[in-house]
Structure formats: C-alpha cells, structure tokens
Amino acid sequence: MSFFHTMKVELYHNKEYTTQEELVNAMISWISYYNNERIKVKLKGKTPVEYRHLALRNIV
C-alpha cells in the first residue's frame, strides 16, 4: 500500500470533518504519527524517522 492510500483508509474513509481546518489538523496529526510512532515491518521494526536516521548514519 502507498502512503496516500494508507492515509485515505485510516483518516478519511467512514469519517466526516465539518471544516477544512479540522481535516487539515487531522492530516497533520496523522502524518506526525505515521513518521514518528508507527512501526513498519518493512523498515526492520522502526519508524520512518528512525530508519532514515539509521540509514544516514551508515552512509557516513
């Protein structure tokens, strides 16, 4: 699944937002969660941010 598909499934489907601001705030919160807290098996059990830091550390 792509990032945007996952976001639509988890954030948009079967939910109603009364204002654009409410939707934008929900998206900002979800993206922060996805990058900093959500563990991905494909990334060796790390969050995207943790995996990126690990990859950058191994380059140097």
Side-chain angles (χ1 to χ4, degrees):
M1 266 193 284
S2 73
F3 170 84
F4 291 107
H5 174 78
T6 303
M7 183 171 68
K8 283 170 43 176
V9 168
E10 293 184 7
L11 190 65
Y12 184 72
H13 291 297
N14 299 320
K15 297 188 180 172
E16 291 186 28
Y17 298 96
T18 56
T19 65
Q20 181 179 354
E21 182 180 6
E22 186 180 354
L23 174 60
V24 169
N25 288 336
M27 291 173 68
I28 290 169
S29 295
W30 186 86
I31 291 169
S32 177
Y33 160 76
Y34 184 91
N35 284 323
N36 296 296
E37 298 175 41
R38 183 185 177 120
I39 293 173
K40 300 283 289 176
V41 173
K42 289 181 181 180
L43 301 179
K44 301 179 182 177
K46 302 202 178 319
T47 68
V49 170
E50 290 172 334
Y51 193 78
R52 182 174 46 238
H53 286 297
L54 180 64
L56 291 173
R57 188 173 41 189
N58 290 335
I59 291 174
V60 177

